[in-house]
């Protein structure tokens, strides 16, 4: 068969190149995860298995700082992801169900442009903007900035999902005596839900681990987890940072997995 | 057979006694539909008018792109006519959104809600009308019985076969007992056997419920077997409206004669007209034809003759339609004979294989054509 001739396993050194890539990508992560269980102060020498650095994260000298930062990160991520998802859902409906309107492709470019703009540029621009309107830097400046840069990330899975939903479902609903809002809430919304969940979780993760923009707009006296970790690392890497990083990685993996299955279960209900 | 006419009048603005002047279930009056803006306009319908009677199984038949779906969408309210108007039992539909029209649609791809059970799908219309829960449960159960799918109520649409989905779509549209049911090629996604079975089921359902069906198809056999009346459409224009028999035996024009079944066309000159009969000259032959419309002596025209209304004999001296038998095609129940007349016109003759007076003319020999009385039809164009 023709497919056989292009079988990927037949390419020479395929296996070795794959292993090398995997090692470069995931080696450091795995080392961090392993050494987070190290029972020694050294970050390079193995001193036996222990959970002492996890204990240190929760009860050590820096625990209060991390706790406040984690709380900030979480609440900001929830607010930013929720707002961004709502805005992105409206945008997707307008773009995909709104027929053709003037400046449609321009609008699409505007929505997805933030994905292409270097983050540092966005960070500087946001900072200048906040200064220009004399917006006090602090918790709410971070929330505002996060909402804005989360929108395109939420928009992509939502619009992809909506594109796959034929308009005949809403028409069938209206034909069966549903008003426009009933057709929206009872038919379109449930069908869009997998995309909305994906979009929300993606925005949530992006907000949770953002460093550059947050660092620019946060002002003094407030930290999120990434900025707190960075601050801590500046004074030298301690194994408790590895434990904290491993925890964050787990949270991310959890959300990405949920997001993946949300998208998948949606694909199944669609015929 | 459970009755499906429980009164659900929440969405209906009608008062049947108030408008007795029109008995038509649907009246299409000079409806025109143009899509797009001036540089790239598409005329999907150009001034179509006809009436659909109450309790009728009415079929819109025509080739792809002739505007059938557009007409259904206009009746359902998904599009607004550019010109003209549509009346439902004498009431103007203008400006009424789809959810305010007592009309339901069976969509071509069914459009069953994938996130709802079969039961909830069927009950959706009633729920939107505000019918109370116990009533909905009852009606839904009866609809499931009607489509013989009692045990499927809790399944999802994706767990059903194509034929079952088709039946559910039908039940969902019938559950709120609409005054008119619109069906857009509902059988086209099914295989042949199932399609034939569903034709019978659909026709029965229509007779039992007494609901007016407006059925869209491009399959002439489907149209002929099910319909009380058929509207033949082409390129956004209505060609003819009539019963299956009318349309097959008395086509109005070349398009209809050609689109429905097989036919032979003869180019003739009209010699005499008397009432709805005309005497036409075709080469040396004279044919008595029924006329499809006004015509005048001396004008040129086309005559249609169905292949099964022709027969072949050995030519004798006073025969005037003579040709050469070119080919025989055996088709089981009948045999198709291809005859080339002396002037070059090719004629198809179909003879049933049953009566075994079977023709003793061999391919390549001369044969004379006999036309059944009343078989020749002079077309409008
Ligand atoms: N929304 C639209 N915008 C522009 N043109 C349209 C639109 N809908 C239909 N048309 C055009 O109108 C014409 C009639 O379309 P319609 O869908 O009614 O055909 P149909 O008879 O249902 O064909 P089919 O048998 O293929 O379904 C076609 O030329 C089509 O391209
Ligand atoms: Mg169509």
């Amino acid at each position: 068969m023709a497919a056989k001739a292009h079988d990927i396993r037949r390419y020479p050194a395929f296996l070795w190149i794959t292993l090398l890539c995997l090692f470069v990508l995931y080696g450091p992560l795995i080392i961090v995860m392993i050494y987070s269980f190290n029972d020694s102060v050294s970050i390079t020498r193995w001193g036996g298995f222990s959970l002492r650095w996890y204990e240190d994260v929760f009860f050590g000298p820096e625990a209060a700082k991390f706790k406040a930062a984690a709380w900030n990160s979480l609440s900001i991520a929830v607010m930013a992801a929720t707002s961004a998802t709502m805005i992105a859902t409206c945008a997707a409906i307008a773009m995909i169900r709104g027929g053709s309107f003037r400046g449609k492709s321009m609008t699409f470019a505007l929505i997805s442009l933030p994905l292409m703009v270097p983050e540092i540029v966005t960070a500087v621009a946001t900072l200048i903007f906040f200064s220009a309107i004399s917006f006090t830097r602090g918790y709410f400046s971070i929330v505002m900035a996060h909402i804005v840069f989360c929108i395109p990330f939420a928009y992509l899975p939502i619009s992809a999902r909506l594109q796959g939903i034929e308009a005949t479902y809403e028409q069938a609903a209206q034909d069966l005596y549903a008003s426009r809002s009933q057709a929206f809430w009872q038919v379109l919304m449930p069908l869009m839900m997998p995309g909305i969940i994906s979009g929300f979780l993606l925005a949530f993760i992006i907000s949770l681990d953002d460093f550059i923009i947050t660092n620019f707009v946060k002002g003094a006296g407030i930290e999120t987890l990434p900025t707190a970790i960075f601050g801590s690392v500046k004074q030298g890497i301690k194994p408790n940072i590895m434990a904290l990083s491993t925890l964050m990685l787990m949270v991310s993996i959890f959300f990405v997995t949920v997001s993946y299955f949300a998208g998948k279960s949606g694909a199944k209900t669609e015929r | 057979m459970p009755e499906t006419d429980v009164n659900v009048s929440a969405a209906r603005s009608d008062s049947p006694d108030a408008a007795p002047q029109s008995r038509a279930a649907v009246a299409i009056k000079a409806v025109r539909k143009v899509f797009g803006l001036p540089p790239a306009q598409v005329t999907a319908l150009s001034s179509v008018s006809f009436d659909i009677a109450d309790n009728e199984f009415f079929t819109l038949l025509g080739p792809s792109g002739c505007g059938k779906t557009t007409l259904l969408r206009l009746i359902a309210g998904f599009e607004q006519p550019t010109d003209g108007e549509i009346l439902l039992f004498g009431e103007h539909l203008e400006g009424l959104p789809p959810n305010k029209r007592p009309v339901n649609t069976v969509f071509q791809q069914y459009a069953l809600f994938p996130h709802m059970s079969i039961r909830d799908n069927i009950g959706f219309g009633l729920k939107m009308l505000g019918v109370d829960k116990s009533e909905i449960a009852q009606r839904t159960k009866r609809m499931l019985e009607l489509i013989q799918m009692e045990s499927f109520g809790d399944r999802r649409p994706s767990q059903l076969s194509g034929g079952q989905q088709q039946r559910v779509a039908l039940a969902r549209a019938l559950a709120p007992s609409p005054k008119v049911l619109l069906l857009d090629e509902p059988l086209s996604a099914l295989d042949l056997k199932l399609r034939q079975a569903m034709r019978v089921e659909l026709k029965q359902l229509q007779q039992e419920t007494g609901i007016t069906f407006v059925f869209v198809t491009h399959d002439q056999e489907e149209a002929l077997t099910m319909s009380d009346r058929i509207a033949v459409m082409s390129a956004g224009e209505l060609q003819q409206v009539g019963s299956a028999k009318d349309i097959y035996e008395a086509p109005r024009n070349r398009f209809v004669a050609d689109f429905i079944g097989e036919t032979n066309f003869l180019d003739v000159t009209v010699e005499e007209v008397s009432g709805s009969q005309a005497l036409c000259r075709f080469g040396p032959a004279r044919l008595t034809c029924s006329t499809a419309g006004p015509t005048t002596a001396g004008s040129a025209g086309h005559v249609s003759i169905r292949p099964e209304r022709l027969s072949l004999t050995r030519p004798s001296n006073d025969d005037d339609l003579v040709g050469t038998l070119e080919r025989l095609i055996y088709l089981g129940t009948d045999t198709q004979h291809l005859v080339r007349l002396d002037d070059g016109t090719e004629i198809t003759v179909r003879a049933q294989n049953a009566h075994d007076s079977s023709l003793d003319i061999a391919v390549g020999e001369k044969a004379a054509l006999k036309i059944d009385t009343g078989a020749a039809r002079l077309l409008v164009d």
Side-chain angles (χ1 to χ4, degrees):
Chain A
M1 277 218 21
K4 270 269 156 63
H6 295 283
D7 193 328
I8 193 107
R9 279 167 298 194
R10 294 202 173 195
Y11 283 82
F14 167 71
L15 181 68
W16 295 111
I17 293 171
T18 309
L19 287 180
L20 182 71
C21 289
L22 285 177
F23 178 76
V24 171
L25 279 172
Y26 292 104
L29 282 180
I30 290 166
I31 289 168
V32 164
M33 283 167 73
I34 292 172
Y35 272 81
S36 70
F37 296 103
N38 191 0
D39 188 22
S40 123
V41 194
S42 162
I43 56 163
T44 49
R45 223 168 334 104
W46 182 251
F49 179 85
S50 107
L51 292 174
R52 64 181 278 203
W53 298 115
Y54 286 90
E55 203 187 319
D56 187 86
V57 168
F58 288 102
F59 306 106
E62 288 180 300
K65 184 176 113 189
F66 286 146
K67 205 172 145 195
W71 183 243
N72 285 338
S73 273
L74 211 63
S75 56
I76 288 169
V78 168
M79 276 191 273
T82 309
S83 315
T85 305
M86 287 195 296
I87 295 169
T89 304
C90 297
I93 291 169
M95 289 293 288
I96 292 158
R97 286 292 194 267
S100 53
F101 52 87
R102 278 235 316 267
K104 184 166 178 174
S105 37
M106 177 75 103
T107 312
F108 179 74
L110 276 178
I111 292 173
S112 40
L113 197 64
L115 296 172
M116 266 90 72
V117 174
E119 204 181 339
I120 186 74
V121 176
T122 313
V124 172
T126 312
L127 177 63
I128 293 171
F129 176 69
F130 282 156
S131 307
I133 64 168
S134 334
F135 194 76
T136 324
R137 284 191 283 151
Y139 187 83
F140 285 102
S141 62
I142 304 176
V143 173
M144 294 306 290
H146 279 216
I147 290 173
V148 172
F149 76 72
C150 280
I151 290 172
F153 291 96
Y155 178 79
L156 289 181
I158 295 172
S159 69
R161 173 75 195 170
L162 183 55
Q163 231 140 24
I165 302 172
E166 285 171 46
T168 43
Y169 291 120
E170 293 136 271
Q171 286 174 3
Q174 281 186 43
D175 187 62
L176 291 161
Y177 312 112
S179 65
R180 283 177 68 109
S181 77
Q182 282 171 320
F184 176 76
W185 289 108
Q186 311 229 4
V187 173
L188 189 57
M189 202 59 179
L191 292 177
M192 279 176 79
M193 213 19 118
I196 293 178
I197 293 173
S198 284
F200 175 86
L201 293 175
L202 198 58
F204 184 83
I205 293 293
I206 296 290
S207 162
L208 200 64
D209 75 7
D210 177 73
F211 174 74
I212 302 177
I213 294 175
T214 313
N215 206 33
F216 270 69
V217 301
K218 74 184 176 61
I222 181 164
E223 301 285 355
T224 63
L225 262 186
T227 62
I229 291 175
F230 183 72
S232 177
V233 166
K234 272 200 292 200
Q235 283 125 45
I237 304 174
K238 275 203 312 172
N240 66 341
I241 293 303
M242 296 194 186
L244 188 56
S245 303
T246 306
L247 287 172
M248 277 189 79
L249 184 64
M250 291 303 141
V251 171
S252 287
I253 289 174
F254 173 77
F255 279 113
V256 170
T257 312
V258 171
S259 164
Y260 172 76
F261 282 110
K264 218 174 157 173
S265 81
K268 237 189 304 177
T269 58
E270 184 101 325
R271 281 196 320 111
Chain B
M1 168 53 216
E3 54 193 3
T4 50
D5 54 8
V6 177
N7 214 355
V8 184
S9 47
R12 299 183 186 170
S13 51
D14 61 307
S15 44
D17 318 303
Q21 73 271 24
S22 170
R23 277 317 306 154
V26 183
I28 313 277
K29 293 197 191 297
V31 166
R32 208 164 68 86
K33 178 67 188 175
V34 180
F35 287 108
L37 297 167
Q41 273 183 327
V42 181
T43 305
L45 292 172
S46 40
S47 199
V48 172
S49 301
F50 60 87
D51 284 358
I52 301 173
D54 198 5
N55 291 356
E56 196 171 28
F57 196 119
F58 191 90
T59 299
L60 297 173
L61 174 66
S64 188
C66 71
K68 307 180 296 285
T69 299
T70 304
L71 196 48
L72 274 202
R73 290 173 60 81
L74 285 166
I75 300 172
F78 296 120
E79 309 281 357
Q80 300 301 320
T82 310
D83 282 319
E85 55 181 358
I86 300 174
L87 284 81
L88 200 78
F89 291 95
E91 282 197 42
H92 293 262
L93 289 179
E94 197 182 335
L96 275 188
N99 56 323
K100 296 272 166 60
R101 299 184 181 200
V103 164
N104 289 149
T105 307
V106 177
F107 290 84
Q108 185 164 5
Q109 295 304 324
Y110 314 145
L112 297 175
F113 305 128
H115 59 294
M116 292 182 198
S117 68
I118 298 309
R119 208 184 300 283
D120 291 346
N121 263 284
I122 295 175
F124 188 84
L126 296 167
K127 189 172 145 200
M128 293 301 111
L129 285 174
V131 175
D132 57 64
K133 282 218 172 70
S134 58
E135 170 83 23
I136 296 179
Q138 226 177 18
R139 290 285 298 276
T140 307
K141 188 161 162 286
R142 263 192 278 153
M143 291 316 297
L144 282 168
E145 279 164 19
L146 182 69
I147 57 170
Q148 289 154 26
M149 287 178 60
E150 291 97 323
S151 58
F152 292 82
D154 296 318
R155 293 215 198 166
R156 291 293 168 98
S158 57
Q159 297 167 312
L160 300 184
S161 72
Q164 290 166 337
Q165 289 182 20
Q166 207 282 322
R167 296 223 282 274
V168 173
L170 200 61
R172 182 178 71 172
L174 282 173
S177 15
K179 292 186 156 182
V180 175
L181 187 72
L182 309 174
L183 305 102
D184 193 355
E185 307 202 23
L187 306 184
S188 65
L190 307 178
D191 62 42
L192 184 66
K193 266 273 175 319
L194 200 52
R195 201 152 67 217
Q196 286 170 340
M198 284 304 298
R199 278 181 201 165
V200 180
E201 267 186 58
L202 263 183
K203 178 74 187 173
Q204 251 171 12
L205 202 63
Q206 191 271 329
Q207 284 167 339
E208 283 163 6
T209 56
I211 292 174
T212 308
F213 277 33
V214 183
F215 183 90
V216 161
T217 183
H218 60 249
D219 181 337
Q220 44 137 328
E221 198 184 317
E222 217 164 86
L224 292 177
T225 52
M226 294 197 292
S227 322
D228 294 326
R229 281 195 311 150
I230 302 171
V232 183
M233 292 174 62
S234 156
E237 282 178 51
L238 189 67
Q239 303 297 327
Q240 187 171 359
V241 184
S243 68
K245 198 170 165 197
D246 280 349
I247 286 192
Y248 187 78
E249 291 182 4
R252 211 177 77 84
N253 57 25
R254 271 177 80 102
F255 177 84
V256 176
D258 197 30
F259 190 71
I260 316 286
E262 270 183 285
T263 200
N264 296 295
F265 289 119
L266 304 179
D267 298 332
V268 299
T269 316
V270 180
E271 284 199 333
E272 261 177 65
V273 184
S274 60
S276 61
Q277 300 274 312
L279 193 65
C280 302
R281 169 177 285 283
F282 175 70
R286 284 211 169 76
L287 316 172
T288 311
C289 308
S290 64
T291 54
T295 178
T296 49
S299 62
H302 302 285
V303 163
S304 155
I305 307 172
R306 299 289 181 189
E308 69 275 11
R309 312 282 308 263
L310 289 167
S311 51
L312 294 176
T313 55
R314 286 206 166 274
S316 64
N317 281 340
D318 46 58
D319 280 318
D320 38 25
L321 275 174
V322 177
T324 312
L325 182 60
E326 287 203 328
R327 213 137 59 93
L328 286 177
I329 302 168
Y330 180 74
L331 297 169
T333 56
D334 45 29
T335 303
Q336 193 170 314
H337 307 261
L338 292 181
V339 178
R340 189 170 296 281
L341 296 184
D342 294 343
D343 74 336
T345 312
E346 200 176 85
I347 300 285
T348 307
V349 179
R350 252 177 202 257
Q352 284 211 339
N353 290 330
H355 53 84
D356 80 350
S357 60
S358 68
L359 203 61
D360 53 352
I361 304 171
V363 171
E365 289 186 326
K366 287 282 178 190
L369 273 180
K370 294 268 179 271
I371 303 170
D372 285 8
T373 33
R377 174 105 178 145
L378 179 64
L379 303 169
V380 167
D381 59 354

